Amino acid sequence: MTELLPAGSLDGKVALVTGSSRGIGADTIRYLAQAGADVVINFRNKAPRAEKLAVELRALGRRVLTVAADLTDPASVSDMFDAVREEFGSLDILVLNASGGMESGMAEDYALTLNRDAQLNVLNAALPLLGDGARVVFVTSHQAHFIRTTPTMPEYEPVALSKRAGEDALRELIPGLAEKGVGFTVVSGDMIEGTITATLLERANPGAIAERRESAGKLYNVSEFAAEVAQAAVDPVPADNTRLVGDVSAFAAE
């Protein structure tokens, strides 16, 4: 597991992680707060979980803002960043973690709306708050990052294609971000044990997790992968703006 960020290394910084009331997002924001950052916990409808996490992080001496926002609703996103501006004035770290597309009962284009359109809108809405030295991290999966060259499970393909579309759209913003002094890193991880996506994939395709674990030799758990995401927010931006976490030998490079 990646070493935790040094205590105090993010003192005075403000970090927002989308979808951070649970799972990878919650552990990522926990690592950032432990390193000294004041934090914004974003959630869609898990208010009790968000508030419980907020109490934990405030006990560390951090300022914590919890904000409910539906990332597919531009007005909701705008309200979220208005709240961040009012509370903190600026933003140093933005982690685009929230994603989806395997939920039942959603519109046919929901995966693309959330994983591409919403990601772009969130970053653009955050831009006025991001100054020189700020960092943006986009969280994705190997199954999505390599979808052009390596097929994935049929059950996951719509999500993979939409997340890759989101990654591509965000990468187009890199030159403009660089002009502002804002770094951008894509963090791509293998299947993560204990996530909702992995659980849904296992339900649709029994044995998928064990098969991938055997092929890769190891699968990261939520806490381990979150540590990598948090680290990506402070490490130098890779030359190709990509941080690959876990085995990639089964995936063909573009």
Side-chain angles (χ1 to χ4, degrees), residues 110-126:
Y110 177 72
L112 201 59
T113 300
L114 175 59
N115 297 331
R116 183 193 63 187
D117 303 345
Q119 307 301 319
L120 271 177
N121 182 56
V122 169
L123 178 49
N124 283 320

Side-chain angles (χ1 to χ4, degrees), residues 15-128:
L16 185 156
V17 180
T18 62
S20 49
S21 66
R22 62 181 177 181
I24 292 167
D27 276 1
T28 298
I29 213 162
R30 188 177 279 115
Y31 286 130
L32 296 172
Q34 288 170 350
D38 295 323
V39 296
V40 183
I41 301 172
N42 158 250
F43 63 97
R44 186 175 64 180
N45 52 19
K46 302 292 182 186
R49 291 186 186 184
E51 289 302 332
K52 182 179 179 181
L53 178 59
V55 169
E56 174 192 333
L57 301 186
R58 288 184 185 119
L60 299 175
R62 306 295 167 252
R63 292 169 65 192
V64 182
L65 176 66
T66 61
V67 186
D70 178 353
L71 301 187
T72 65
D73 177 3
S76 183
V77 170
S78 179
D79 289 345
M80 174 171 71
F81 286 111
D82 284 347
V84 174
R85 182 181 293 106
E86 185 175 337
E87 180 71 23
F88 297 113
S90 62
L91 188 63
D92 301 286
I93 296 170
L94 172 64
V95 179
L96 300 170
N97 163 73
S99 65
M102 294 190 69
E103 301 89 341
S104 59
M106 294 297 188
E108 189 174 337
D109 62 349
Y110 177 72
L112 201 59
T113 300
L114 175 59
N115 297 331
R116 183 193 63 187
D117 303 345
Q119 307 301 319
L120 271 177
N121 182 56
V122 169
L123 178 49
N124 283 320
L127 271 180

Side-chain angles (χ1 to χ4, degrees), residues 96 119-120 123 138 165-174 184:
L96 300 170
Q119 307 301 319
L120 271 177
L123 178 49
F138 175 66
E167 178 183 337
D168 291 342
L170 291 166
R171 284 181 182 274
E172 290 183 7
L173 303 182
I174 289 175
F184 178 86

Side-chain angles (χ1 to χ4, degrees), residues 209-222:
I209 294 176
E211 183 179 333
R212 181 63 197 141
R213 187 189 305 116
E214 183 177 351
S215 172
K218 166 190 168 59
L219 292 180
Y220 280 63
N221 62 32
V222 168

